[in-house]
């Protein structure tokens, strides 16, 4: 099993009125931004990621959102680049770069290849289609979202794997001279993953490509149904998928006492307005959910109804308080002794080969984050590894998602010393 750490990297500044205020998504002016606060927060979140690597997490998951305080990382490749140099063991998993907003995917291919090189082959390159927020912020036509995603994906793979120079003439991208001097460390290229929540077509695309699909903070029963669709699609395509093909992100915090865990856990639904944190003050902007052509209104996953309030509007999100999320396991907060049985229940129910603990978010402090990370490394991660062996939940670096065959173990990559062999994709 692969065990990863994630935080949305929220803005935190009580003086701006953004902590605990209900705000419509994309309605907050950056006029309240304080660079001194931002600088401290960027360095805080980097420190936490570096510590997560040190305590034994297998992976550091990064993402990006745009024009919003709930996610400070508007350019995920910057954070990934720093971690490529400053961490030593963990995979750097970008989930992901928003392909439809890139007018120059060759530049993206070069950036990612450099990250892979500097990390000595620890990059996992996740690609996403992005939401309405990203289309609006970067003036990307939503009705061409899927076309631009798929063409950019195909172009980047070719740029990574085909010696140049060559010419590319597609529908959305045109290059007369493709010959990037930097190519990835991994051969034939870094693993490609796809995260998602709503789109049935995106999940089936991942199954067709035989790449891991990561479900993002959804309720368990709809998640299990969506994963079954992946497995059924794989069977129709003539291969057997397994835990190595699916992953799950959800909110897990560990603390020294139940009292501290209760205090910190409630902070998930506080902090800057975030429409993706159920129970948080954030309000979904219906205009962003309904951009023409962005997502089919009929080809959706079972997770759609509870993901971001898409059917019930903002009330669906705001109607899932902390207590309900504790009850349905979408938030797990407690001491190592109390969280481990709950984590096991999730693993048994949806059987993922990759898991990511969404921690240090909302209004959580740096001290909250560091306490949780320390206990994760000392007590939780070792216990989960034993659970995964018992439950037969291999990760995508133990069993190849494309072939179902075991992957030969490679020496651990160290940032200050080149490993003997690159990691195969």
């Amino acid at each position: 099993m692969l065990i990863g750490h994630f935080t949305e990297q929220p803005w935190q500044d009580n003086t701006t009125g953004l902590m605990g205020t209900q705000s419509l998504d994309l309605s907050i002016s950056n006029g309240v931004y304080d660079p001194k606060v931002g600088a401290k927060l960027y360095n805080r979140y980097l420190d936490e990621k570096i510590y997560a690597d040190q305590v034994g997490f297998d992976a550091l998951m990064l993402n990006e959102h745009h024009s919003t305080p709930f996610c400070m990382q508007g350019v995920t490749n910057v954070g990934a680049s720093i971690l490529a140099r400053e961490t030593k063991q963990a995979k750097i998993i970008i989930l992901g770069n928003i392909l439809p907003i890139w007018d120059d995917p060759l530049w993206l291919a070069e950036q990612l290849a450099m990250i892979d090189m500097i990390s000595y082959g620890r990059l996992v390159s996740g690609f996403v289609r992005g939401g309405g927020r990203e289309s609006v912020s970067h003036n990307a036509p939503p009705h061409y979202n899927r076309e631009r995603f798929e063409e950019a994906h195909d172009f980047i793979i070719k740029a990574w794997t085909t010696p140049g120079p060559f010419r590319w003439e597609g529908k959305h991208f045109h290059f007369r001279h493709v010959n990037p001097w930097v190519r990835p460390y991994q051969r034939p290229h870094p693993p490609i993953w796809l995260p998602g929540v709503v789109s049935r077509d995106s999940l089936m695309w991942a199954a067709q490509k035989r790449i891991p699909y990561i479900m993002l903070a959804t309720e368990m029963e709809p998640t299990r149904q969506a994963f079954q669709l992946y497995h059924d699609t794989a069977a129709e395509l003539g291969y057997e998928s397994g835990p190595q093909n699916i992953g799950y992100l959800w909110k897990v915090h560990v603390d020294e006492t139940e009292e501290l865990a209760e205090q910190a856990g409630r902070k998930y639904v506080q902090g800057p307005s975030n429409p993706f944190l159920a129970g948080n003050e954030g309000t979904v902007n219906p205009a962003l959910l309904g951009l023409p052509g962005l997502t089919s209104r009929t080809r959706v996953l079972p997770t759609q109804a509870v993901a971001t309030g898409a059917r019930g509007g903002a009330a669906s999100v705001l109607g899932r308080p902390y207590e309900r999320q504790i009850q349905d396991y979408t938030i797990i907060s407690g001491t190592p002794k109390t969280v481990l049985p709950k984590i096991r229940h999730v693993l048994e129910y949806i059987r993922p080969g990759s898991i990511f603990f969404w921690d240090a978010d909302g209004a959580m402090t740096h001290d909250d984050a560091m306490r949780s990370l320390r206990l994760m490394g000392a007590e939780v991660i070792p216990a989960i590894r034993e659970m995964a062996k018992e439950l037969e939940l291999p990760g995508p670096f133990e069993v190849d998602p494309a072939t179902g065959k075991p992957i030969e173990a490679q020496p651990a990559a160290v940032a200050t010393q080149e490993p003997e062999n690159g990691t195969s994709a």
Side-chain angles (χ1 to χ4, degrees):
M1 170 166 283
L2 181 135
I3 305 170
H5 173 269
F6 172 75
T7 178
E8 196 83 81
Q9 302 190 29
W11 176 259
Q12 294 185 347
D13 181 10
N14 286 316
T15 66
T16 64
L18 299 183
M19 300 291 285
T21 300
Q22 180 171 326
S23 301
L24 190 68
D25 195 17
L26 283 192
S27 68
I28 300 172
S29 169
N30 64 2
V32 301
Y33 185 87
D34 184 340
K36 293 181 180 179
V37 173
K40 291 180 180 179
L41 286 170
Y42 277 122
N43 283 280
R44 167 198 158 174
Y45 293 131
L46 285 169
D47 287 344
E48 291 169 8
K49 291 290 189 190
I50 292 168
Y51 187 54
D53 173 59
Q54 294 170 351
V55 302
F57 275 91
D58 300 318
L60 309 173
M61 175 180 161
L62 305 171
N63 76 327
E64 67 180 58
H65 288 290
H66 296 262
S67 304
T68 179
F70 75 74
C71 178
M72 289 182 59
Q73 188 160 243
V75 186
T76 191
N77 294 345
V78 172
S81 300
I82 296 168
L83 294 174
R85 176 61 181 171
E86 295 299 318
T87 61
K88 299 184 182 301
Q89 302 294 335
K91 302 287 185 184
I92 299 168
I93 300 183
I94 301 177
L95 294 179
N97 274 287
I98 305 167
L99 294 188
I101 70 174
W102 282 81
D103 289 326
D104 187 353
L106 178 57
W107 189 17
L108 175 58
E110 292 173 309
Q111 291 181 26
L112 294 172
M114 289 181 65
I115 294 169
D116 198 44
M117 293 290 290
I118 294 168
S119 68
Y120 288 113
R122 289 185 287 128
L123 174 67
V124 173
S125 184
F127 294 144
V128 297
R129 292 177 53 212
R133 175 186 305 95
E134 283 67 50
S135 291
V136 170
S137 299
H138 289 271
N139 200 33
H143 50 291
Y144 289 132
N145 181 280
R146 178 168 294 282
E147 288 184 7
R148 288 172 64 87
F149 173 87
E150 294 187 3
E151 184 178 336
H153 166 273
D154 294 347
F155 171 79
I156 290 169
I157 297 300
K158 184 169 183 178
W160 279 344
T161 57
T162 303
F166 63 85
R167 189 180 183 102
W168 179 278
E169 296 294 345
K171 179 176 180 179
H172 298 282
F173 306 107
H174 305 273
F175 294 92
R176 66 183 66 179
H177 184 86
V178 182
N179 189 39
W181 193 249
V182 58
R183 296 176 67 189
Y185 188 87
Q186 300 176 82
R187 291 291 182 263
H189 57 75
I192 306 298
W193 292 11
L194 182 74
V197 176
V198 171
S199 173
R200 179 186 180 95
D201 290 331
S202 293
L203 179 144
M204 296 179 69
W205 182 86
Q208 291 162 6
K209 296 292 185 181
R210 303 192 181 196
I211 62 175
Y213 180 88
I214 313 301
M215 188 64 78
L216 304 177
T218 48
E219 289 187 344
M220 284 203 300
E221 177 55 30
T223 298
R224 184 166 72 166
Q225 295 172 17
F227 285 161
Q228 188 58 52
L229 174 62
Y230 185 112
H231 297 316
D232 291 344
T233 303
E236 292 173 1
L237 294 170
Y239 75 99
E240 182 179 358
S241 58
Q244 67 274 8
N245 294 81
I246 57 176
Y248 184 51
L249 164 74
W250 86 110
K251 297 180 280 291
V252 179
H253 176 81
V254 185
D255 225 314
E256 296 169 350
T257 66
E258 292 298 331
E259 291 75 20
L260 282 172
E262 172 79 6
Q263 293 171 17
R266 287 186 175 276
K267 295 177 185 177
Y268 275 120
V269 297
Q270 301 167 10
S273 300
N274 185 343
F276 294 106
L277 278 172
N280 182 272
E281 293 86 358
T283 304
V284 174
N285 188 330
L288 299 183
L289 295 176
L291 292 181
L294 187 63
T295 299
S296 169
R297 299 181 181 181
T298 57
R299 296 186 60 76
V300 295
L301 295 170
T303 49
Q304 182 254 10
V306 293
T308 57
R311 287 183 185 169
S316 296
V317 177
L318 300 176
R320 293 182 62 209
Y322 174 78
E323 289 79 10
R324 177 182 165 187
Q325 294 182 71
I326 287 288
Q327 185 178 11
D328 64 22
Y329 296 86
T330 52
I331 291 179
I332 295 176
S333 186
T335 63
K337 181 179 179 180
T338 57
V339 302
L340 283 168
K342 296 176 182 179
I343 291 172
R344 183 185 180 99
H345 174 69
V346 174
L347 299 185
E348 290 176 338
Y349 198 78
I350 62 176
R351 295 190 57 77
S354 300
I355 58 173
F356 298 90
F357 294 148
W358 186 348
D359 202 358
D361 220 284
M364 289 186 187
T365 66
H366 179 61
D367 288 342
D368 294 333
M370 296 298 277
R371 291 196 311 271
S372 185
L373 287 169
R374 176 176 57 81
L375 291 168
M376 289 276 191
E379 301 185 48
V380 176
I381 292 175
I384 293 175
R385 296 201 195 287
E386 294 303 314
M387 286 182 200
K389 291 178 182 177
E390 180 186 346
L391 297 173
E392 298 183 343
L393 298 175
F397 297 99
E398 300 166 89
V399 174
D400 189 328
T403 66
K405 296 180 179 179
I407 297 174
E408 182 178 352
Q410 298 285 349
V414 179
T416 57
Q417 180 179 350
E418 181 178 352
E420 295 180 2
N421 298 297
T423 305
S424 62

